[in-house]
Amino acid sequence: MDDTTRGVRIRRGGPADAPAVLGMLDSAVVWMNDRGNTEQWGTTPFSEKPERAAQVGRYLTENLPFIAEVDGTPAAALVLGSGPDPRVPIAPAEEPERYVRLLVSDRRFAGQKLGSALLAHAVEETRRAGVRLLRVDCWAGSGGELVAYYERHGFTPTETFLAGTWPGQVLAQRVD
């Protein structure tokens, strides 16, 4: 997908994008912490946690990563898997699915609707694969703001879960 009017291009990602994706995650942690949210992703930057850096590496090599670039600069990332991360207490669907494992944007590019563009791209990738179900899970704290974001993008809440004390919500969207 190219949106040349805004200088946005979505391309396949890969292992070489790990530093950029970690930078996006680090900027998101700072932004959330500045807003008082220290529970969603904690207070330590992802790049300073070896287990989180390894997770990003796995996401970029074992799944389908996509990078939204603004004028050639990586600005947002989405990772699609064939189901939920096995370390999360979420059962796989009873049918083929695509699963949003990660959606993050560099806060320097806030307001450019890059998450929306990547979610639309995920719908198209799901359709292109002949799969009819797209799911995502997200943080359900802070009054459900992130849940509402996904609802605005066509997802419907299906089940809640706890990962330790971390409240999560699974959402689904049918793709025709």
Side-chain angles (χ1 to χ4, degrees):
M1 178 213 132
D2 289 328
D3 181 347
T4 53
T5 60
R6 293 187 308 144
V8 176
R9 178 175 81 100
I10 295 177
R11 64 167 173 81
R12 273 295 299 270
D17 292 303
V21 173
L22 284 168
M24 293 173 203
L25 289 161
D26 287 353
S27 78
V29 168
V30 169
W31 176 75
M32 285 188 273
N33 288 185
D34 286 350
R35 297 176 67 220
N37 180 348
T38 59
E39 297 175 51
Q40 183 174 345
W41 283 348
T43 58
T44 304
F46 272 54
S47 62
E48 293 178 17
K49 293 181 169 182
E51 70 278 5
R52 288 297 205 169
Q55 179 184 26
V56 168
R58 283 191 308 277
Y59 278 7
L60 296 175
T61 57
E62 299 172 4
N63 298 279
L64 293 171
F66 297 95
I67 305 296
E69 294 180 334
V70 174
D71 296 326
T73 301
L78 177 133
V79 175
L80 281 178
S82 58
D85 188 315
R87 291 168 303 201
V88 179
I90 300 167
E94 295 180 4
E95 65 183 277
E97 69 177 315
R98 289 295 179 266
Y99 203 98
V100 176
R101 295 267 187 103
L102 175 69
L103 177 62
V104 65
S105 64
D106 185 315
R107 298 313 304 164
R108 293 177 299 161
F109 298 92
Q112 295 192 31
K113 301 195 182 303
L114 299 175
S116 298
L118 283 166
L119 287 172
H121 189 76
V123 168
E124 288 306 313
E125 286 293 322
T126 301
R127 183 177 292 118
R128 193 176 355 265
V131 176
R132 298 191 43 165
L133 179 63
L134 177 62
R135 292 196 306 161
V136 63
D137 66 80
C138 69
W139 163 255
S142 297
E145 292 173 26
L146 193 50
V147 173
Y149 173 82
Y150 285 110
E151 288 177 310
R152 288 191 303 274
H153 288 85
F155 289 86
T156 301
T158 58
E159 62 187 90
T160 59
F161 67 95
L162 280 176
T165 59
W166 194 90
Q169 175 71 57
V170 179
L171 299 99
Q173 180 175 155
R174 284 280 165 201
V175 176
D176 297 320

